[in-house]
Amino acid sequence: DAEITQSPRHKITETGRQVTLACHQTWNHNNMFWYRQDLGHGLRLIHYSYGVQDTNKGEVSDGYSVSRSNTEDLPLTLESAASSQTSVYFCASSEQLATNEQFFGPGTRLTVL
Amino acid sequence: AQSVTQLGSHVSVSEGALVLLRCNYSSSVPPYLFWYVQYPNQGLQLLLKYTSAATLVKGINGFEAEFKKSETSFHLTKPSAHMSDAAEYFCAVSGLNKLVFGAGTILRVKS
């Protein structure tokens, strides 16, 4: 069965370190998204991609970057981790832009000390 | 711009009682609307979606939602709550090829 996976599931890091969260999907979807989930805010969009070599900023993109070198993967990098980036991160993918039904990964819980 | 408001961050019902989770949206174009459910320590799972066909949409696990354009609402209901329905529920609207989520409603089911 097709799926979307994230790794690691849990990560503890220190302020100032670079961190990369992996996202891999086997749906063969062109569209991929990264969100962060914080209490009281729901899910907020960090970055998204509509295909290989395409990346776009979401509403909370400062301090984050992504790259899309193939269809299956969209890694999220925190250039210099800050305590404000402690959160749960979700990756998602979708086939259609119009209806935009998204399929979500299990999430990565990141703690920045 | 699209936005979603979920009324009530926490809702508590008794087992067997009606579940009603409220969602109001704002959209400059005809919207596509979604309800997702999140169980503890898991990702989001699609419950149901409205994509401009029937206004009453049926989803998984006995949930349904009705699109009311005049009220800009898409409330989620289930006639009889089960303990397994305890989770967080998110309403979302599709806009500019992205999803905009509400803040979520945590549903508690009392025995």
Side-chain angles (χ1 to χ4, degrees), chain A residues 9 33 35 37 39-43 45 48 50 58 90 97-107 109, chain B residues 32 34 36 38 41-46 49 51 88 90 94-104 106:
Chain A
R9 294 294 313 277
F33 308 82
Y35 297 89
Q37 182 180 26
L39 195 63
H41 291 278
L43 276 78
L45 185 62
Y48 57 102
Y50 292 148
F90 288 97
L97 284 176
T99 58
N100 216 19
E101 174 182 349
Q102 294 185 10
F103 297 85
F104 283 80
R109 183 174 297 274
Chain B
Y32 296 122
F34 304 81
Y36 283 85
Q38 184 182 31
N41 300 313
Q42 295 186 26
L44 278 70
Q45 177 184 358
L46 183 69
K49 63 179 179 180
T51 56
E88 188 163 15
F90 293 93
S94 178
L96 298 176
N97 299 322
K98 299 187 296 291
L99 281 183
V100 176
F101 287 86
I106 295 173

Side-chain angles (χ1 to χ4, degrees), chain B residues 34-100:
Chain B
F34 304 81
W35 274 100
Y36 283 85
V37 60
Q38 184 182 31
Y39 299 103
N41 300 313
Q42 295 186 26
L44 278 70
Q45 177 184 358
L46 183 69
L47 267 181
L48 49 81
K49 63 179 179 180
Y50 167 76
T51 56
S52 73
T55 57
L56 182 62
V57 180
K58 294 187 183 298
I60 62 172
N61 301 337
F63 285 92
E64 63 182 34
E66 185 172 11
F67 172 70
K68 292 187 176 180
K69 183 178 179 180
S70 62
E71 298 178 8
T72 60
S73 69
F74 190 58
H75 301 331
L76 182 70
T77 61
K78 182 174 180 178
S80 178
H82 192 272
M83 297 297 291
S84 60
D85 295 326
E88 188 163 15
Y89 293 79
F90 293 93
C91 183
V93 61
S94 178
L96 298 176
N97 299 322
K98 299 187 296 291
L99 281 183
V100 176

Side-chain angles (χ1 to χ4, degrees), chain A residues 54-72:
Chain A
D54 176 75
T55 61
N56 306 278
K57 294 181 178 181
E59 63 177 307
V60 290
S61 61
D62 287 349
Y64 303 94
S65 64
V66 293
S67 61
R68 187 88 181 272
S69 59
N70 58 52
T71 300
E72 296 80 15

Side-chain angles (χ1 to χ4, degrees), chain A residues 5-78:
Chain A
T5 57
Q6 294 182 235
S7 62
R9 294 294 313 277
H10 301 272
K11 174 77 175 178
I12 299 174
T13 191
E14 295 177 343
T15 301
R17 291 190 179 270
Q18 183 180 81
V19 176
T20 297
L21 308 183
C23 174
H24 179 80
Q25 54 100 359
T26 58
W27 293 96
N28 200 34
H29 289 161
N30 283 325
N31 312 306
M32 296 184 73
F33 308 82
W34 272 105
Y35 297 89
R36 59 177 291 172
Q37 182 180 26
D38 303 287
L39 195 63
H41 291 278
L43 276 78
R44 292 181 291 176
L45 185 62
I46 305 172
H47 281 286
Y48 57 102
S49 168
Y50 292 148
V52 176
Q53 302 300 329
D54 176 75
T55 61
N56 306 278
K57 294 181 178 181
E59 63 177 307
V60 290
S61 61
D62 287 349
Y64 303 94
S65 64
V66 293
S67 61
R68 187 88 181 272
S69 59
N70 58 52
T71 300
E72 296 80 15
D73 299 289
L74 186 69
L76 177 71
T77 298
L78 287 68

Side-chain angles (χ1 to χ4, degrees), chain B residues 4-17:
Chain B
V4 172
T5 302
Q6 291 185 239
L7 300 176
S9 59
H10 292 78
V11 170
S12 183
V13 301
S14 298
E15 192 172 20

